[in-house]
Amino acid sequence: GENVEQHPSTLSVQEGDSAVIKCTYSDSASNYFPWYKQELGKRPQLIIDIRSNVGEKKDQRIAVTLNKTAKHFSLHITETQPEDSAVYFCAARGTGANNLFFGTGTRLTVIP
Amino acid sequence: DAGITQSPRYKITETGRQVTLMCHQTWSHSYMFWYRQDLGHGLRLIYYSAAADITDKGEVPDGYVVSRSKTENFPLTLESATRSQTSVYFCASRLGGDTGELFFGEGSRLTVL
């Protein structure tokens, strides 16, 4: 099955700085790559996703990039704010597959 | 709009007891999933269901049983709880086809003593 690795496991940034979280996947057939944000004690919620026919996608301060050749994708958060503090999970899913395989999560702390 | 709800939210039980976690969704989503969340492991899939009466194993199915007699319900049963099953359990659902977004329930924190 798919194996998704995520780095770093923890990340601290000053408010206003950028944060980057990286993931790699093993199955070249994977074609859907979402990112979920989980605030403390809350449920995970989708913040952005990308499909394999697109190299980059932006939504305000967040963006995701995908390199299919290298089998890695990244989450970029610019102008970080304290409310961005959370655990972020990347995930991957293949065509016709039913499962999402998640990375182990990155705890982002934005220091005011 | 209730969405997707889980019960109980918190449960403490003893080793060897049977425990059932309930999941109910009001969207008529085809797919439903059970994940467990443990520190250092992220979210791991236990079982999923593509439709009523159709279930399949995920990454970590041992020790768990599921059923889906109705589209809206997807209970997860631990037949004989073990300490290693202490975890936070999330139910999730999504539309059928290639639609992506998973909608998660609030989670059920289970402690096995």
Side-chain angles (χ1 to χ4, degrees):
Chain A
E2 175 66 276
N3 180 45
V4 178
E5 295 190 355
Q6 183 172 347
H7 300 281
S9 57
T10 60
L11 179 61
S12 292
V13 298
Q14 292 290 332
E15 182 177 358
D17 287 351
S18 296
V20 180
I21 303 170
K22 299 181 179 182
C23 290
T24 62
Y25 60 99
S26 61
D27 188 351
S28 56
S30 289
N31 68 344
Y32 175 66
F33 307 93
W35 287 86
Y36 284 79
K37 175 183 180 181
Q38 185 180 26
E39 297 177 355
L40 189 63
K42 303 289 187 181
R43 71 189 82 189
Q45 292 188 297
L46 179 73
I47 55 171
I48 194 167
D49 57 10
I50 191 168
R51 295 186 183 270
S52 59
N53 58 346
V54 175
E56 183 176 6
K57 185 176 179 180
K58 291 183 179 180
D59 183 3
Q60 299 183 351
R61 295 186 297 107
I62 60 174
V64 57
T65 58
L66 172 65
N67 184 325
K68 287 176 58 180
T69 303
K71 290 190 283 188
H72 67 70
F73 56 113
S74 301
L75 178 71
H76 304 254
I77 306 173
T78 59
E79 301 173 15
T80 54
Q81 301 168 4
E83 51 265 39
D84 294 329
S85 295
V87 177
Y88 292 81
F89 293 97
C90 63
R93 192 183 79 207
T95 304
N98 297 313
N99 314 353
L100 265 182
F101 290 88
F102 284 86
T104 51
T106 296
R107 181 174 299 280
L108 172 65
T109 302
V110 179
I111 303 165
Chain B
D1 182 4
I4 181 166
T5 56
Q6 295 180 227
S7 63
R9 296 290 313 281
Y10 303 91
K11 176 73 176 179
I12 299 174
T13 192
E14 295 178 338
T15 302
R17 292 191 179 268
Q18 183 179 84
V19 177
T20 295
L21 305 179
M22 305 300 293
C23 180
H24 176 78
Q25 53 106 353
T26 60
W27 295 311
S28 298
H29 283 175
S30 297
Y31 285 87
M32 296 188 75
F33 305 81
W34 276 107
Y35 287 89
R36 60 177 290 175
Q37 184 174 30
D38 305 287
L39 195 63
H41 291 279
L43 291 154
R44 292 181 292 174
L45 182 66
I46 305 170
Y47 269 96
Y48 68 95
S49 169
D53 298 321
I54 300 175
T55 62
D56 210 345
K57 295 178 180 179
E59 304 168 73
V60 289
D62 293 345
Y64 303 95
V65 174
V66 294
S67 62
R68 195 164 176 209
S69 57
K70 294 183 178 181
T71 300
E72 60 266 31
N73 296 325
F74 191 39
L76 176 73
T77 297
L78 289 66
E79 293 190 304
S80 179
T82 65
R83 290 181 181 174
S84 64
Q85 293 177 310
T86 293
S87 186
V88 178
Y89 292 85
F90 284 98
C91 180
S93 71
R94 70 173 176 89
L95 289 168
D98 200 31
T99 53
E101 184 171 2
L102 276 183
F103 294 87
F104 285 87
E106 317 99 308
S108 296
R109 181 177 293 276
L110 175 67
T111 301
V112 183
L113 302 176

